Amino acid sequence: RKFVNEFAVEFCLHMNTKLNRQKLAKILFNVDKNRMDLIPFYARLIKTLHPCVSELPIMISDMLMRDFRFQIRKKDQIYIHTKIKNARFIAELTKFDLCAKAETMKCITLTLQDFTHHNVELACTFIEHCGRYLLRSHDSHLRAKALLEIMMRKKQA
């Protein structure tokens, strides 16, 4: 946490240019599949930078959503780590209120529509990382509860 805060201050004071913001967005988006433990720290960094770099969360969430939808539409059985990385990153950004809850629930709905193979893993990743947050938030409680019920019914089938 301390390193994230120090980097955020350093970035805002000395490196806050349009080109550096774009580079930072690409670097944060391209998390190594073997270092998914860094995703919560990246989300924290994005939240910390949000007041002075307001377009950074928008750029990253757009990239994540586009890539997530592309991977879901492809329906191939490879690149599971990329799919899980996107799902986890979207979930972490949702917990920091940087990604809309409605968008996250749309992603969960997409995984539940074809509840097979990797989509089961992706739905579980969303529920594991932001399910409690969505369920306990006042504005998303009803829809999250309905999605959980759908998931439980599909699990039984």
Side-chain angles (χ1 to χ4, degrees):
R1 288 181 177 183
K2 185 179 178 186
F3 177 73
V4 168
N5 293 337
E6 289 172 0
F7 178 79
V9 169
E10 187 70 27
F11 185 85
C12 284
L13 294 178
H14 302 293
M15 298 181 278
N16 194 3
T17 64
K18 185 174 183 175
L19 183 63
N20 285 343
R21 289 191 295 267
Q22 290 172 346
K23 284 181 184 178
L24 181 63
K26 286 179 185 173
I27 289 169
L28 293 176
F29 173 72
N30 292 320
V31 180
D32 185 25
K33 65 182 179 186
N34 297 323
R35 294 303 314 265
M36 283 199 260
D37 59 313
L38 295 176
I39 291 175
F41 296 106
Y42 285 3
R44 181 182 177 83
L45 175 66
I46 296 165
K47 179 66 174 182
T48 306
L49 287 173
H50 180 63
C52 70
V53 187
S54 59
E55 68 269 7
L56 184 65
I58 297 166
M59 285 191 296
I60 291 176
S61 64
D62 284 347
M63 286 190 285
L64 285 167
M65 290 297 180
R66 264 188 271 122
D67 195 42
F68 181 81
R69 288 190 182 108
F70 172 75
Q71 295 290 344
I72 290 289
R73 263 188 268 119
K74 254 173 61 171
K75 294 186 189 264
D76 61 355
Q77 296 307 308
I78 52 177
Y79 306 120
I80 182 69
H81 292 294
T82 304
K83 293 175 183 179
I84 291 175
K85 175 203 67 144
N86 288 342
R88 187 162 179 203
F89 213 147
I90 291 167
E92 291 293 334
L93 289 177
T94 302
K95 287 194 296 189
F96 280 103
D97 284 328
L98 297 172
C99 186
K101 294 173 193 169
E103 288 290 320
T104 303
M105 288 196 256
K106 279 183 193 174
C107 291
I108 296 171
T109 305
L110 284 174
T111 61
L112 292 176
Q113 286 173 351
D114 180 25
F115 201 57
T116 57
H117 307 297
H118 289 174
N119 288 350
V120 173
E121 186 79 25
L122 293 174
C124 290
T125 300
F126 276 116
I127 299 303
E128 180 182 347
H129 291 283
C130 71
R132 177 177 287 162
Y133 173 76
L134 293 172
L135 198 59
R136 301 219 175 171
S137 293
H138 178 67
D139 55 337
S140 64
H141 174 75
L142 293 174
R143 189 164 173 205
K145 188 175 178 182
L147 287 173
L148 279 175
E149 288 173 3
I150 291 169
M151 188 174 175
M152 295 309 287
R153 272 189 269 134
K154 290 196 177 216
K155 183 184 108 174
Q156 298 297 328

